[in-house]
Amino acid sequence: MKLRMAIVGCGEIAGYVAFLARFVPRLRITACCDIDPDRASQFARRHRIPAVYSEYDALLDRELLDAVYLAVPHDLHLPMTLKAAEKGKAVLLEKPLARNTAEGQELIRRVSANKVGVNYQYRYDSAAYALARAVQKGELGEIYSIVVQVPWHRERRYFEEASWHRSLERSGGGTLLTQASHFLDWAFWALRDKPQSAMGYTASFAFAVEVETLAHGVVQTQKGTLISIVSSMVCAKEESVSIRVDGQAGSAIYREKPLLTLKFQGVKVKAEKPPLRGFHALQRSLAAFVAWILDDRPYLIPAAEALPALAAVEAIYRSAQTGKRESTIYR
Ligand SMILES: NC(=O)c1ccc[n+]([C@@H]2O[C@H](COP(=O)([O-])OP(=O)(O)OC[C@H]3O[C@@H](n4cnc5c(N)ncnc54)[C@H](O)[C@@H]3O)[C@@H](O)[C@H]2O)c1
C-alpha cells in the first residue's frame, strides 16, 4: 500500500521534500497546491506531480488523499491543519507547530483524533539521534547543561522572496522560532523534560524587518537543566550548528558541518542508529511519517511533542520584552 500525499505550499522547503520523497518507497506525491498558480504548475512539472491546485479547499474536496504535507507560512499552520483534519486526512506539518502556544494548544486539542506530525527533522539526524538516545539512556548521567549555537546567515532575498518572514503577524517570530526551535525541540526530547522558565534578549540587526534576526536565551527545564541558545541569521559567514551537552558522567559535542560529527568525552557510548534508513534526516522523517500512517509505528514528533519548543521560544520572547525571567506554560 502507498500513502497518497499532497504538498501544500510549493516554496523553499517543499522542493527538498518533493525531491527526497522519491527515495521513500511507499510515498506517492499525487498533487501539489500553491496559492500562486504559476509556482504550483512549475513545481508540478519539475517534480512530475500529476495534479495541481491553487486552492486548498478544492484540493481537499477533489483529490483522493491520505495525507497532506503543509509547508506554508506560520499563520496558516493552525487553520490549514484543522481543515485537513476535518476531512480525515493525516497531516505532516512543517515546524513550528504554530505561531505561539495558544495556537499550538488549540491545534493539539482540536486534532486529537487525527495523526498530525510536526517535521522537526533533526530528531532523525543520525548524530543528533544518537546523542539524544545516549542522554535518554543516562549514558552521560544527570544532564546539567546544554549549549546550542546556530550561527547562520541569510541573504536579503530570504525576506524579499518570502515576505511573510518579515512580518511578526504572519511568522510569529524570527530566527529563534524559525531556525533555533529545531534544536530546542531536540533538547526537550533528548532530556524528556519541559521548559519551566526562560530569560533572553533579541535584536533585529541587518534587515528592516519586524522579527528578530539574533536571539540569546537561557531556559531552565522542570528538572533543572540549563539550556543556553544563541541563534542568528546575521553571521557574516554561516558556520555549523553545534550542541554541547554536559552531564555528571561525561560530555558530548555535536557538529553538523563540515561533516556530521558526534564526540563523547569521559564516557564510552555505542551510538544508536535512527529507526529508519535514508541518507538525509528529512528523508527519514518522511519515511517515519509514512510508517506512522500505514503501519502505526510511532512518529517521533506527534503534534503535542512540538509544544515545549514553542513554549520556550515564547518565554524568551516575553523576557526580551519585560527584562525579567518569564515562566512557561509548564511552570
Ligand atoms: N524543516 C525545515 O528544515 C524547514 C526549512 C525551511 C522552512 N521550513 C518551514 O516550512 C514552512 C514554509 O517555509 P518556506 O521557507 O518553504 O516558505 P516559502 O515562502 O518559500 O514557501 C511557502 C509557500 O506557501 C505558499 N502559500 C502561501 N499561502 C498559501 C495558501 N493559502 N495555500 C497554498 N499555498 C500557500 C506560498 O506561495 C509559498 O510558495 C514554514 O513553516 C517554515 O518554518 C522548515
Side-chain angles (χ1 to χ4, degrees):
M1 193 183 163
K2 309 252 188 224
L3 187 86
R4 294 162 300 186
M5 185 157 93
I7 291 182
V8 181
C10 303
E12 185 74 21
I13 188 67
Y16 294 98
V17 166
F19 170 72
L20 290 168
R22 292 185 214 168
F23 305 97
V24 179
R26 293 186 297 158
L27 177 60
R28 287 285 166 274
I29 305 298
T30 52
C32 66
C33 170
D34 198 289
I35 199 164
D36 176 340
D38 292 338
R39 188 177 277 201
S41 307
Q42 278 173 23
F43 191 88
R45 267 200 304 279
R46 193 175 323 126
H47 298 286
R48 301 200 189 126
I49 298 171
V52 192
Y53 291 81
S54 57
E55 284 179 28
Y56 184 53
D57 289 347
L59 169 85
L60 290 179
D61 285 341
R62 292 190 213 140
E63 208 53 38
L64 265 180
L65 295 171
D66 306 303
V68 293
Y69 162 67
L70 298 179
V72 290
H74 300 167
D75 57 327
L76 299 174
H77 285 200
L78 173 65
M80 287 182 126
T81 300
L82 294 183
K83 269 194 180 166
E86 272 164 26
K87 300 267 179 191
K89 313 293 177 207
V91 179
L92 179 59
L93 173 63
E94 260 307 339
K95 41 55 57 178
L97 178 61
R99 288 176 295 185
N100 51 56
T101 53
E103 273 190 353
Q105 285 174 306
E106 181 180 350
L107 191 151
I108 292 163
R109 197 179 62 248
R110 292 179 62 185
V111 302
S112 56
N114 299 73
K115 282 180 171 164
V116 176
V118 180
N119 188 36
Y120 272 124
Q121 81 270 8
Y122 277 89
R123 292 200 194 188
Y124 287 99
D125 170 287
S126 53
Y129 181 87
L131 177 51
R133 290 296 298 138
V135 169
Q136 288 168 0
K137 289 193 294 187
E139 310 259 22
L140 301 176
E142 183 189 356
I143 304 300
Y144 302 146
S145 158
I146 296 184
V147 177
V148 178
Q149 298 210 47
V150 188
W152 285 353
H153 172 89
R154 290 290 176 270
E155 298 286 344
R156 189 165 299 279
R157 69 170 197 91
Y158 173 79
F159 291 111
E160 284 173 356
E161 291 174 12
S163 62
W164 65 271
H165 281 306
R166 282 202 296 259
S167 154
L168 199 52
E169 172 66 21
R170 296 216 66 195
S171 64
T175 185
L176 191 64
L177 182 65
T178 304
Q179 283 125 22
S181 71
H182 270 296
F183 309 101
L184 289 169
D185 171 74
W186 172 87
F188 298 123
W189 171 61
L191 294 168
R192 297 208 194 283
D193 202 353
K194 301 223 162 52
Q196 187 163 54
S197 64
M199 294 188 77
Y201 286 81
T202 58
S204 204
F205 290 116
F207 301 100
V209 293
E210 292 171 9
V211 300
E212 90 286 358
T213 55
L214 175 66
H216 289 216
V218 179
V219 181
Q220 185 163 44
T221 70
Q222 288 180 332
K223 292 180 197 160
T225 302
L226 293 184
I227 302 171
S228 178
I229 188 148
V230 176
S231 182
S232 175
M233 52 172 119
V234 292
C235 291
K237 183 173 168 287
E238 183 152 325
E239 296 281 348
S240 174
V241 169
S242 66
I243 304 173
R244 180 184 172 98
V245 179
D246 284 287
Q248 151 270 326
S251 305
I253 297 171
Y254 163 99
R255 288 183 73 82
E256 190 181 17
K257 287 174 183 158
L259 284 175
L260 194 58
T261 53
L262 175 60
K263 287 195 179 126
F264 290 99
Q265 292 167 348
V267 284
K268 278 217 165 81
V269 177
K270 192 170 179 294
E272 240 186 75
K273 290 202 168 69
L276 285 123
R277 294 220 187 104
F279 55 84
H280 195 281
L282 211 45
Q283 176 196 0
R284 285 192 286 269
S285 177
L286 283 175
F289 179 76
V290 172
W292 189 32
I293 309 307
L294 296 183
D295 312 330
D296 215 19
R297 264 179 79 182
Y299 179 66
L300 288 179
I301 322 106
E305 281 265 325
L307 194 59
L310 198 52
V313 167
E314 191 172 271
I316 293 171
Y317 283 161
R318 244 185 296 121
S319 168
Q321 296 270 320
T322 63
K324 296 186 179 136
R325 175 181 178 138
E326 293 286 334
S327 297
T328 72
I329 51 167
Y330 301 107
R331 64 185 160 272

